[in-house]
Amino acid sequence: EYIAKMPYENLRIPALFLYTENDHVVDTNLIIDVFNRYGASGKKLINFKEAKNHVLMGNSYSPENNEAGKKIILEYLTEIGIY
């Protein structure tokens, strides 16, 4: 409830929203709602379909997604002029 009420419209920091429809921990509708309300122009929403659960990537739980996730992140950083 607290997260849903935050004033995301006022934020101006670029953000990459990575999620998966296979997430059973976080309500993906809330992620999409926050993204739509987020005020920054440098925002991007990506459904990381390769992920099978809440942990999108990482050596401990989802190492098979590390390269795909790295590619998405580096492409985003390039798009916003950081990488």
Side-chain angles (χ1 to χ4, degrees), residues 6-64:
M6 290 183 65
Y8 295 102
E9 298 82 1
N10 299 332
L11 297 175
R12 299 293 179 254
I13 300 167
L16 173 61
F17 290 73
L18 279 175
Y19 76 102
T20 181
E21 293 172 343
N22 300 318
D23 195 328
H24 299 290
V25 175
V26 177
D27 181 354
T28 56
N29 291 319
L30 180 57
I31 294 169
I32 294 167
D33 177 59
V34 168
F35 173 81
N36 288 332
R37 293 174 40 216
Y38 199 82
S41 59
K43 65 181 182 178
K44 188 168 191 171
L45 177 69
I46 295 177
N47 179 6
F48 193 65
K49 295 178 182 179
E50 293 88 344
K52 296 175 181 66
N53 56 49
H54 178 71
V55 181
L56 303 179
M57 63 194 99
N59 291 343
S60 296
Y61 293 105
S62 302
E64 69 278 6

Side-chain angles (χ1 to χ4, degrees), residues 61-79:
Y61 293 105
S62 302
E64 69 278 6
N65 296 331
N66 286 351
E67 285 305 312
K70 176 182 170 183
K71 182 179 179 204
I72 290 169
I73 293 167
L74 292 177
E75 285 175 357
Y76 172 72
L77 292 175
T78 300
E79 286 176 21

